[in-house]
Amino acid sequence: MTISGHMLLGAEEVMGTSAQINAINPATGEKMAPDFGGGTQADVDKACNKAAKAFSSFRRLSNEKRAAFIDSCADNIMELGDELVERVMAETGLPQPRVVGERGRTVGQLKLFAQLIRDGNYLGARIDTAMPDREPLPRLDHRMQYIPLGPVAVFGASNFPLAFSVAGGDTAAAFAAGCPVIVKAHSSHPGTSELVGRALQKAVADHGLDEGVFSLVFGSGREVGSALVSHPAIKAVGFTGSEGGGTALMKLAAARPEPIPVYAEMSSINPVFLLPDALATRGAEIGSNLVASMMMGAGQFCTSPGLVIAMAGDGYDDFVASARDSIAEAAPQTMLSPTIHEAYQKGVEHLSSMSQLSQLSQGKEAQGCQCRAALFEVSASDFISNEDLREEVFGSCSLVVRCDNAEQMITVLNSLRGQLTGAIHATDAEDPELVDGLIEALELKVGRIIWNGFGTGVEVCHAMVHGGPYPATADGRSTSVGTAAIDRYMRPVCYQNMPNKYLPKSVDEENSLGICRLVNGEVVTN
Ligand code: NAP
């Protein structure tokens, strides 16, 4: 398939006329063809108006037809074959196994959402039947189901060019809910975005859907992205990126005449707690495992372990020595873009310049856009008194906070902002009061608590929570990974005293959809 540089506004191909965008191969520094034209306000208006029109029919599509469309999106992505894999590698510097793995995850999560909506239970049907004889007042019939919000704007992520970009988790969840999607492509992988966009556009056409179900626009976030979020047709936003970008979009969305939800996934340093007996019995093993996790994808995962809170004592030195050796041996990896590499370098330089920190280890000499891993150490009291140390350094960089007692560990935890994950490394012999205290405090800070593991390697499943209090995400009440993400793009509607013939099938008398419903407080399966 030829990559042309065109935006996809429904079925139309449009060459943008604002600023030109080119991908840069981060491994070579070369500018890649073709030129992509950035969109204008008029292009955004066109995509949004098409999406608004498409919403009416897309939301009424049967669960089976919408599921079949989502399955086709997945199949069409696979049909792109090696061309897609090679383009992703060239635009992001990611190695082939990672790209192939991420493609599998992307296709797998589309299929999982298709499967989720087939049985109809995602509609959350509830029925409270009328009680005409109730005293002192009769009760009317009430029935509730969830409906889609409307067109959703999705911002492609730099660090997941497939799984969190054009056909990523946000798009899959929004389609499953019944929402048309307009993607603002990430400017660092426009060719990947166009290829995947064309796969989705083809699925829309093959299933005879309204063309406005999917559009793809290019351009700067501040112009095209802001115009999208401000457009009255857009009813929700999905975003993965920086705290600055996500927070700017949250403010923009809140200031609209009709404010809308922004589901932004932003900054997280994912604290890892190393308890005394775990360190004493397997300090060295934890050290090498920590480094394996922080080196994954050159540390460009939102769940990368950027902070380790360890109890000084037996095994602490073994842990540090092992982590130091593992970092020194690890080969440097190319980062996603020159901008991200530059931000990483600045972050590490800042930590190196701080007198309270000591640098425990540095990776092998790196070149060009490669990430040179770094591990620092600081005392608990210096960490607590220095706000700067809670900032994410996006890449293979981690800070070890040395604690002298359990109280310091809890104080460090309480000083953190919201996080995606928190991990505890422990054995059965740890002080249960400390473990309970950590779990209780972590529940208030993170979306996922991990026992003897690390946050990297996020399973796409029904019970996954990939979210957390601000600034990990804009709204800690939801997840961006796993099927529960569908809830973000739906809202409940109650039908009171409605004749059966006008009721949606999910809550009708016959249970036409044959779904699981809460009837008068009891789960009824047919
Ligand atoms: P980004 O700069 O936030 O960009 C993400 C998307 O948002 C891009 O499409 C960008 O448009 C748009 N955007 C940015 N600021 C905006 C604003 N003020 N108004 C409207 N749209 C805006 O993130 P990035 O390029 O992916 O990476 C930059 C940094 O973000 C990284 O170095 C890292 O620190 C952080 N990051 C964190 C995570 C995480 O999961 N924790 C993931 C990715 C990145 P443009 O095309 O104009 O850039």
Side-chain angles (χ1 to χ4, degrees):
M1 188 181 287
T2 313
I3 301 175
S4 66
H6 286 81
M7 295 183 291
L8 309 175
L9 308 184
E12 254 180 281
E13 297 192 7
V14 175
M15 180 51 85
T17 54
S18 74
Q20 182 181 310
I21 297 159
N22 286 92
I24 293 179
N25 183 327
T28 62
E30 279 169 52
K31 194 161 116 171
M32 294 173 68
D35 301 337
F36 291 79
T40 59
Q41 178 72 53
D43 297 321
V44 169
D45 287 345
K46 187 179 261 189
C48 290
N49 293 337
K50 285 186 182 207
K53 177 178 166 288
F55 180 48
S56 166
S57 54
F58 192 50
R59 82 183 188 91
R60 288 192 163 75
L61 215 58
S62 71
N63 292 328
E64 180 50 46
K65 284 189 175 156
R66 208 157 61 246
F69 158 66
I70 296 171
D71 276 340
S72 289
C73 292
D75 297 339
N76 292 355
I77 290 169
M78 287 310 292
E79 274 176 27
L80 292 168
D82 290 345
E83 186 186 5
L84 176 65
V85 174
E86 282 157 19
R87 183 77 193 192
V88 178
M89 289 168 65
E91 288 188 332
T92 63
L94 293 171
Q96 200 250 11
R98 154 73 197 272
V99 176
V100 170
E102 193 181 321
R103 181 181 60 177
R105 172 177 166 177
T106 308
V107 165
Q109 74 193 357
L110 282 162
K111 298 240 169 202
L112 190 64
F113 275 104
Q115 190 189 331
L116 174 80
I117 60 172
R118 274 197 169 94
D119 73 16
N121 292 333
Y122 77 101
L123 291 165
R126 293 170 174 224
I127 298 172
D128 290 308
T129 49
M131 296 165 75
D133 300 328
R134 189 179 70 173
E135 294 292 344
L137 288 172
R139 180 173 86 176
L140 293 174
D141 186 278
H142 292 80
R143 294 170 188 239
M144 183 189 104
Q145 69 156 355
Y146 280 78
I147 66 159
L149 288 181
V152 173
V154 172
F155 286 70
S158 59
N159 60 338
F160 279 96
L162 296 173
F164 270 87
S165 283
V166 176
D170 282 309
T171 301
F175 277 166
C179 302
V181 170
I182 302 171
V183 175
K184 187 318 223 166
H186 197 283
S187 305
S188 66
H189 55 257
T192 302
S193 301
E194 186 187 324
L195 284 172
V196 176
R198 286 181 183 278
L200 267 51
Q201 190 190 46
K202 181 173 182 310
V204 171
D206 288 350
H207 285 260
L209 305 184
D210 189 305
E211 55 159 344
V213 165
F214 172 74
S215 288
L216 172 69
V217 294
F218 296 120
S220 106
R222 282 187 174 75
E223 287 157 31
V224 172
S226 300
L228 252 184
V229 173
S230 306
H231 198 283
I234 297 297
K235 300 299 179 196
V237 179
F239 169 94
T240 304
S242 65
E243 188 178 332
T247 306
L249 296 179
M250 286 166 68
K251 286 185 182 154
L252 196 60
R256 288 169 36 129
E258 181 201 1
I260 54 170
V262 173
Y263 295 102
E265 188 195 318
M266 300 172 282
S267 173
S268 183
I269 53 176
N270 308 299
V272 176
F273 292 84
L274 308 184
L275 271 52
D277 198 56
L279 276 172
T281 51
R282 48 186 164 86
E285 185 191 328
I286 294 173
S288 55
N289 289 344
L290 167 78
V291 174
S293 175
M294 68 184 263
M295 297 303 287
M296 276 176 79
Q300 300 163 116
F301 284 138
C302 31
T303 50
S304 198
L307 188 70
V308 180
I309 301 102
M311 193 80 88
D314 288 352
Y316 180 85
D317 291 343
D318 296 341
F319 157 72
V320 168
S322 157
R324 179 187 283 143
D325 293 349
S326 303
I327 285 193
E329 280 162 21
Q333 300 163 66
T334 303
M335 298 194 84
L336 292 160
S337 70
T339 326
I340 285 180
H341 176 253
E342 201 181 312
Y344 175 73
Q345 295 279 89
K346 274 196 190 142
V348 172
E349 276 162 28
H350 178 58
L351 295 180
S352 305
S353 71
M354 295 179 75
S355 58
Q356 302 96 328
L357 268 61
S358 50
Q359 183 149 11
L360 294 174
S361 182
Q362 224 181 358
K364 286 190 179 127
E365 195 78 46
Q367 291 173 341
C369 257
Q370 286 179 332
C371 176
R372 186 174 194 186
L375 186 67
F376 295 89
E377 185 190 55
V378 68
S379 70
S381 51
D382 281 339
F383 180 84
I384 290 160
S385 61
N386 201 323
E387 290 276 330
D388 271 13
L389 297 177
R390 292 153 184 68
E391 296 299 319
E392 178 184 56
V393 178
F394 195 61
S396 297
C397 174
S398 197
L399 173 63
V400 181
V401 182
R402 202 183 56 253
C403 296
D404 294 325
N405 52 52
E407 199 186 337
Q408 273 188 343
M409 275 197 153
I410 301 279
T411 310
V412 168
L413 172 48
N414 286 333
S415 77
L416 299 179
R417 303 194 294 166
Q419 307 291 330
L420 291 171
T421 70
I424 300 172
H425 288 254
T427 70
D428 279 349
E430 311 293 354
D431 172 9
E433 210 175 306
L434 172 58
V435 177
D436 281 340
L438 283 176
I439 293 173
E440 206 172 305
L442 275 172
E443 281 173 346
L444 303 181
K445 291 282 178 190
V446 312
R448 178 162 54 113
I449 303 173
I450 298 154
W451 189 254
N452 284 334
F454 297 93
T456 43
V458 184
E459 187 71 35
V460 182
C461 61
H462 302 294
M464 176 50 67
V465 176
H466 192 66
Y470 184 87
T473 68
D475 189 338
R477 288 171 298 178
S478 78
T479 174
S480 61
V481 177
T483 51
I486 197 171
D487 297 343
R488 297 184 302 167
Y489 300 121
M490 305 189 81
R491 68 178 179 85
V493 174
C494 176
Y495 307 84
Q496 182 176 314
N497 200 31
M498 194 79 75
N500 191 43
K501 65 177 176 174
Y502 293 120
L503 280 171
K505 285 186 177 143
S506 63
V507 288
D508 64 10
E509 273 304 301
E510 303 80 8
N511 192 2
S512 308
L513 297 181
I515 63 178
C516 184
R517 312 193 291 187
L518 191 69
V519 181
N520 295 324
E522 280 181 29
V523 178
V524 176
T525 48
N526 54 42

